[in-house]
Short mmCIF file of all heavy atoms in Angstrom, two decimals:
data_model
loop_
_atom_site.label_atom_id
_atom_site.label_comp_id
_atom_site.label_asym_id
_atom_site.label_seq_id
_atom_site.Cartn_x
_atom_site.Cartn_y
_atom_site.Cartn_z
N ILE O 396 11.31 12.74 20.77
CA ILE O 396 10.39 13.62 21.11
C ILE O 396 9.71 13.53 22.40
O ILE O 396 9.55 14.36 23.25
CB ILE O 396 9.35 13.89 20.03
CG1 ILE O 396 10.02 14.40 18.74
CG2 ILE O 396 8.13 14.84 20.41
CD1 ILE O 396 9.13 14.41 17.52
N PHE O 397 9.28 12.14 22.67
CA PHE O 397 8.71 11.74 23.89
C PHE O 397 9.64 11.94 25.00
O PHE O 397 9.26 12.42 26.16
CB PHE O 397 8.23 10.26 23.76
CG PHE O 397 7.45 9.78 24.94
CD1 PHE O 397 6.09 10.13 25.04
CD2 PHE O 397 8.12 9.28 26.04
CE1 PHE O 397 5.34 9.64 26.15
CE2 PHE O 397 7.35 8.82 27.10
CZ PHE O 397 5.98 8.94 27.19
N LEU O 398 10.87 11.67 24.84
CA LEU O 398 11.76 11.81 26.01
C LEU O 398 12.32 13.24 26.31
O LEU O 398 12.79 13.47 27.25
CB LEU O 398 13.05 10.79 25.78
CG LEU O 398 12.82 9.30 25.72
CD1 LEU O 398 14.12 8.72 25.41
CD2 LEU O 398 12.40 8.84 27.02
N GLY O 399 11.96 14.13 25.37
CA GLY O 399 12.50 15.43 25.61
C GLY O 399 13.95 15.58 25.22
O GLY O 399 14.57 16.66 25.70
N HIS O 400 14.53 14.61 24.42
CA HIS O 400 15.88 14.87 23.99
C HIS O 400 16.12 15.89 22.94
O HIS O 400 17.25 16.13 22.54
CB HIS O 400 16.55 13.53 23.62
CG HIS O 400 16.93 12.70 24.80
ND1 HIS O 400 17.94 11.79 24.64
CD2 HIS O 400 16.44 12.59 26.12
CE1 HIS O 400 18.05 11.15 25.91
NE2 HIS O 400 17.18 11.69 26.69
N VAL O 401 14.96 16.36 22.28
CA VAL O 401 15.15 17.37 21.26
C VAL O 401 14.12 18.52 21.78
O VAL O 401 13.11 18.25 22.28
CB VAL O 401 14.75 16.97 19.97
CG1 VAL O 401 15.83 15.84 19.46
CG2 VAL O 401 13.38 16.20 19.99
N ASP O 402 14.59 19.81 21.52
CA ASP O 402 13.64 20.95 21.76
C ASP O 402 12.55 20.96 20.77
O ASP O 402 12.46 20.21 19.76
CB ASP O 402 14.39 22.13 21.88
CG ASP O 402 15.18 22.50 20.68
OD1 ASP O 402 14.65 22.13 19.43
OD2 ASP O 402 16.11 23.20 20.74
N LEU O 403 11.52 21.86 21.02
CA LEU O 403 10.42 21.89 20.10
C LEU O 403 10.64 22.17 18.70
O LEU O 403 10.14 21.57 17.76
CB LEU O 403 9.44 22.93 20.61
CG LEU O 403 8.01 22.87 20.07
CD1 LEU O 403 7.33 21.49 20.27
CD2 LEU O 403 7.11 23.95 20.65
N ARG O 404 11.69 23.04 18.48
CA ARG O 404 12.01 23.48 17.18
C ARG O 404 12.64 22.34 16.40
O ARG O 404 12.41 22.06 15.16
CB ARG O 404 12.99 24.63 17.16
CG ARG O 404 13.35 25.25 15.94
CD ARG O 404 14.18 26.41 15.95
NE ARG O 404 14.65 26.91 14.64
CZ ARG O 404 15.31 28.07 14.50
NH1 ARG O 404 15.75 28.83 15.48
NH2 ARG O 404 15.61 28.48 13.22
N HIS O 405 13.54 21.56 17.10
CA HIS O 405 14.28 20.44 16.49
C HIS O 405 13.19 19.33 16.20
O HIS O 405 13.32 18.54 15.23
CB HIS O 405 15.32 19.88 17.42
CG HIS O 405 16.25 18.87 16.79
ND1 HIS O 405 17.19 18.19 17.53
CD2 HIS O 405 16.31 18.41 15.40
CE1 HIS O 405 17.82 17.36 16.60
NE2 HIS O 405 17.24 17.38 15.34
N GLY O 406 12.28 19.11 17.18
CA GLY O 406 11.12 18.30 16.97
C GLY O 406 10.46 18.45 15.78
O GLY O 406 10.04 17.57 15.00
N LEU O 407 10.04 19.64 15.59
CA LEU O 407 9.37 20.07 14.38
C LEU O 407 10.07 19.77 13.03
O LEU O 407 9.52 19.29 12.13
CB LEU O 407 9.01 21.65 14.48
CG LEU O 407 7.88 22.02 15.38
CD1 LEU O 407 7.75 23.47 15.50
CD2 LEU O 407 6.43 21.49 14.90
N THR O 408 11.38 19.96 13.17
CA THR O 408 12.13 19.64 11.95
C THR O 408 12.20 18.12 11.69
O THR O 408 12.05 17.73 10.63
CB THR O 408 13.63 20.05 12.22
OG1 THR O 408 13.74 21.49 12.37
CG2 THR O 408 14.58 19.83 11.02
N LEU O 409 12.31 17.36 12.83
CA LEU O 409 12.22 15.85 12.65
C LEU O 409 10.84 15.44 12.03
O LEU O 409 10.88 14.58 11.18
CB LEU O 409 12.53 15.22 13.88
CG LEU O 409 13.96 15.45 14.46
CD1 LEU O 409 14.14 14.71 15.81
CD2 LEU O 409 15.03 14.93 13.45
N VAL O 410 9.91 15.94 12.53
CA VAL O 410 8.49 15.66 12.10
C VAL O 410 8.35 16.08 10.65
O VAL O 410 7.74 15.28 9.78
CB VAL O 410 7.46 16.22 12.94
CG1 VAL O 410 5.99 16.05 12.28
CG2 VAL O 410 7.40 15.59 14.26
N ALA O 411 8.91 17.22 10.23
CA ALA O 411 8.96 17.67 8.82
C ALA O 411 9.61 16.71 7.90
O ALA O 411 9.18 16.37 6.73
CB ALA O 411 9.44 19.09 8.79
N VAL O 412 10.74 16.22 8.41
CA VAL O 412 11.48 15.18 7.60
C VAL O 412 10.59 13.95 7.46
O VAL O 412 10.61 13.37 6.39
CB VAL O 412 12.78 14.83 8.36
CG1 VAL O 412 13.46 13.63 7.65
CG2 VAL O 412 13.75 16.00 8.44
N GLN O 413 9.89 13.48 8.51
CA GLN O 413 8.91 12.45 8.38
C GLN O 413 8.00 12.59 7.35
O GLN O 413 7.78 11.72 6.39
CB GLN O 413 8.21 12.11 9.74
CG GLN O 413 8.88 11.18 10.74
CD GLN O 413 8.02 11.03 11.89
OE1 GLN O 413 7.65 11.82 12.64
NE2 GLN O 413 7.53 9.71 12.12
N LEU O 414 7.32 13.73 7.32
CA LEU O 414 6.31 14.12 6.33
C LEU O 414 6.89 14.11 4.97
O LEU O 414 6.31 13.66 3.95
CB LEU O 414 5.69 15.50 6.72
CG LEU O 414 4.66 15.92 5.64
CD1 LEU O 414 3.53 14.94 5.50
CD2 LEU O 414 4.17 17.26 6.09
N GLY O 415 8.13 14.69 4.80
CA GLY O 415 8.87 14.81 3.58
C GLY O 415 9.13 13.43 2.91
O GLY O 415 8.84 13.15 1.78
N TRP O 416 9.47 12.50 3.79
CA TRP O 416 9.81 11.09 3.32
C TRP O 416 8.51 10.46 2.96
O TRP O 416 8.33 9.57 1.99
CB TRP O 416 10.57 10.29 4.37
CG TRP O 416 12.01 10.56 4.26
CD1 TRP O 416 12.82 11.08 5.17
CD2 TRP O 416 12.82 10.22 3.21
NE1 TRP O 416 14.15 11.24 4.77
CE2 TRP O 416 14.23 10.53 3.63
CE3 TRP O 416 12.74 9.69 1.98
CZ2 TRP O 416 15.25 10.40 2.73
CZ3 TRP O 416 13.84 9.39 1.17
CH2 TRP O 416 15.03 9.77 1.56
N VAL O 417 7.39 10.69 3.59
CA VAL O 417 6.13 10.04 3.31
C VAL O 417 5.79 10.48 1.87
O VAL O 417 5.34 9.59 1.08
CB VAL O 417 5.01 10.53 4.25
CG1 VAL O 417 3.58 10.08 3.69
CG2 VAL O 417 5.23 9.80 5.60
N LEU O 418 5.78 11.71 1.49
CA LEU O 418 5.44 12.31 0.13
C LEU O 418 6.48 11.77 -0.88
O LEU O 418 6.01 11.25 -1.92
CB LEU O 418 5.56 13.76 0.21
CG LEU O 418 4.48 14.54 1.06
CD1 LEU O 418 4.81 16.09 1.17
CD2 LEU O 418 3.13 14.19 0.77
N VAL O 419 7.75 11.69 -0.55
CA VAL O 419 8.69 11.16 -1.55
C VAL O 419 8.36 9.72 -1.75
O VAL O 419 8.45 9.29 -2.96
CB VAL O 419 10.10 11.31 -1.03
CG1 VAL O 419 11.22 10.68 -1.92
CG2 VAL O 419 10.53 12.79 -1.01
N LEU O 420 8.28 8.91 -0.73
CA LEU O 420 8.10 7.51 -1.03
C LEU O 420 6.73 7.14 -1.58
O LEU O 420 6.63 6.24 -2.36
CB LEU O 420 8.16 6.81 0.38
CG LEU O 420 9.59 6.62 0.96
CD1 LEU O 420 9.55 6.16 2.39
CD2 LEU O 420 10.55 5.93 0.18
N TRP O 421 5.79 8.07 -1.24
CA TRP O 421 4.43 7.80 -1.89
C TRP O 421 4.49 7.84 -3.42
O TRP O 421 4.01 6.96 -4.12
CB TRP O 421 3.37 8.73 -1.36
CG TRP O 421 1.96 8.56 -1.96
CD1 TRP O 421 1.42 9.15 -3.01
CD2 TRP O 421 0.99 7.58 -1.53
NE1 TRP O 421 0.24 8.65 -3.36
CE2 TRP O 421 -0.11 7.68 -2.43
CE3 TRP O 421 0.95 6.66 -0.55
CZ2 TRP O 421 -1.19 6.92 -2.28
CZ3 TRP O 421 -0.16 5.82 -0.32
CH2 TRP O 421 -1.23 5.98 -1.23
N PHE O 422 5.08 8.97 -3.89
CA PHE O 422 5.27 9.16 -5.42
C PHE O 422 6.26 8.23 -5.95
O PHE O 422 6.16 7.77 -7.06
CB PHE O 422 5.42 10.64 -5.65
CG PHE O 422 4.15 11.49 -5.38
CD1 PHE O 422 4.22 12.28 -4.22
CD2 PHE O 422 3.03 11.54 -6.09
CE1 PHE O 422 3.06 13.09 -3.84
CE2 PHE O 422 1.87 12.16 -5.76
CZ PHE O 422 2.00 13.01 -4.66
N GLY O 423 7.29 8.00 -5.20
CA GLY O 423 8.42 7.03 -5.64
C GLY O 423 7.86 5.68 -5.79
O GLY O 423 8.26 4.96 -6.74
N ALA O 424 6.96 5.21 -4.82
CA ALA O 424 6.34 3.88 -4.96
C ALA O 424 5.57 3.80 -6.24
O ALA O 424 5.44 2.65 -6.85
CB ALA O 424 5.55 3.62 -3.71
N ARG O 425 4.92 4.88 -6.54
CA ARG O 425 3.98 4.76 -7.79
C ARG O 425 4.83 4.62 -8.98
O ARG O 425 4.51 3.88 -10.00
CB ARG O 425 3.08 6.04 -7.98
CG ARG O 425 2.22 6.20 -6.74
CD ARG O 425 1.19 7.35 -6.81
NE ARG O 425 0.10 6.91 -7.70
CZ ARG O 425 -0.97 6.24 -7.19
NH1 ARG O 425 -0.96 5.82 -5.94
NH2 ARG O 425 -2.01 5.80 -7.95
N MET O 426 5.98 5.19 -9.00
CA MET O 426 6.96 4.98 -10.17
C MET O 426 7.48 3.71 -10.22
O MET O 426 7.54 3.06 -11.22
CB MET O 426 8.08 6.04 -10.04
CG MET O 426 7.60 7.55 -10.14
SD MET O 426 8.95 8.61 -9.90
CE MET O 426 10.12 8.22 -11.30
N VAL O 427 7.88 3.12 -9.08
CA VAL O 427 8.39 1.72 -9.03
C VAL O 427 7.15 0.73 -9.52
O VAL O 427 7.51 -0.15 -10.10
CB VAL O 427 8.77 1.37 -7.55
CG1 VAL O 427 9.14 -0.16 -7.50
CG2 VAL O 427 9.98 2.26 -7.14
N TRP O 428 6.11 0.93 -9.12
CA TRP O 428 4.82 0.18 -9.44
C TRP O 428 4.73 0.09 -10.96
O TRP O 428 4.45 -0.94 -11.57
CB TRP O 428 3.58 0.61 -8.80
CG TRP O 428 2.30 0.01 -9.25
CD1 TRP O 428 1.32 0.60 -10.04
CD2 TRP O 428 1.92 -1.34 -9.06
NE1 TRP O 428 0.34 -0.18 -10.29
CE2 TRP O 428 0.58 -1.48 -9.68
CE3 TRP O 428 2.45 -2.40 -8.38
CZ2 TRP O 428 -0.01 -2.66 -9.68
CZ3 TRP O 428 1.65 -3.74 -8.44
CH2 TRP O 428 0.46 -3.72 -9.04
N ARG O 429 4.87 1.31 -11.60
CA ARG O 429 4.67 1.21 -13.09
C ARG O 429 5.83 0.49 -13.84
O ARG O 429 5.45 -0.21 -14.76
CB ARG O 429 4.68 2.87 -13.51
CG ARG O 429 3.37 3.52 -13.28
CD ARG O 429 3.34 4.78 -14.17
NE ARG O 429 4.21 5.76 -13.70
CZ ARG O 429 4.04 6.69 -12.79
NH1 ARG O 429 2.82 6.74 -12.22
NH2 ARG O 429 4.94 7.61 -12.48
N VAL O 430 6.98 0.65 -13.27
CA VAL O 430 8.09 -0.18 -13.75
C VAL O 430 7.88 -1.69 -13.53
O VAL O 430 8.12 -2.59 -14.47
CB VAL O 430 9.46 0.33 -13.25
CG1 VAL O 430 10.54 -0.62 -13.72
CG2 VAL O 430 9.72 1.73 -13.49
N ALA O 431 7.41 -2.05 -12.32
CA ALA O 431 7.22 -3.41 -11.97
C ALA O 431 6.18 -4.10 -12.86
O ALA O 431 6.26 -5.27 -13.15
CB ALA O 431 6.75 -3.48 -10.46
N LEU O 432 5.17 -3.35 -13.22
CA LEU O 432 4.10 -3.97 -14.06
C LEU O 432 4.62 -4.42 -15.43
O LEU O 432 3.98 -5.47 -16.04
CB LEU O 432 3.02 -2.89 -14.25
CG LEU O 432 2.00 -2.71 -13.20
CD1 LEU O 432 0.88 -1.69 -13.52
CD2 LEU O 432 1.36 -4.04 -12.63
N ARG O 433 5.65 -3.87 -15.97
CA ARG O 433 6.23 -4.28 -17.12
C ARG O 433 6.80 -5.79 -17.05
O ARG O 433 6.98 -6.34 -18.09
CB ARG O 433 7.43 -3.35 -17.61
CG ARG O 433 6.92 -1.93 -17.87
CD ARG O 433 8.04 -0.98 -18.05
NE ARG O 433 7.55 0.38 -18.05
CZ ARG O 433 8.44 1.40 -18.18
NH1 ARG O 433 9.84 1.15 -18.30
NH2 ARG O 433 7.94 2.64 -18.24
N ARG O 434 7.03 -6.24 -15.78
CA ARG O 434 7.60 -7.60 -15.64
C ARG O 434 6.47 -8.63 -15.40
O ARG O 434 6.66 -9.73 -15.18
CB ARG O 434 8.68 -7.59 -14.42
CG ARG O 434 9.75 -6.72 -14.71
CD ARG O 434 10.85 -6.95 -13.71
NE ARG O 434 11.20 -8.36 -13.53
CZ ARG O 434 12.22 -8.82 -14.31
NH1 ARG O 434 12.87 -8.18 -15.15
NH2 ARG O 434 12.49 -10.03 -14.21
N LEU O 435 5.23 -8.12 -15.36
CA LEU O 435 4.06 -8.97 -15.07
C LEU O 435 3.72 -9.71 -16.37
O LEU O 435 3.41 -9.13 -17.37
CB LEU O 435 2.88 -8.17 -14.51
CG LEU O 435 1.70 -8.98 -14.07
CD1 LEU O 435 1.88 -10.00 -13.09
CD2 LEU O 435 0.40 -8.15 -13.84
N THR O 436 3.68 -11.03 -16.09
CA THR O 436 3.31 -11.95 -17.35
C THR O 436 1.96 -12.63 -17.11
O THR O 436 2.01 -13.38 -16.01
CB THR O 436 4.34 -12.93 -17.66
OG1 THR O 436 5.52 -12.18 -18.09
CG2 THR O 436 4.00 -13.70 -18.89
N VAL O 437 1.04 -12.54 -17.82
CA VAL O 437 -0.29 -13.13 -17.59
C VAL O 437 -0.66 -13.98 -18.84
O VAL O 437 -0.77 -13.49 -19.99
CB VAL O 437 -1.53 -12.08 -17.34
CG1 VAL O 437 -2.78 -12.85 -17.18
CG2 VAL O 437 -1.12 -11.15 -16.18
#
Side-chain angles (χ1 to χ4, degrees):
I396 293 173
F397 185 85
L398 292 176
H400 277 213
V401 294
D402 57 29
L403 191 58
R404 183 174 181 179
H405 190 188
L407 286 170
T408 300
L409 294 180
V410 170
V412 171
Q413 268 186 300
L414 177 60
W416 277 115
V417 168
L418 297 175
V419 169
L420 289 174
W421 180 266
F422 293 105
R425 301 188 79 81
M426 295 176 62
V427 175
W428 170 249
R429 286 196 292 269
V430 175
L432 282 181
R433 300 173 186 171
R434 297 188 59 84
L435 179 63
T436 300
V437 180

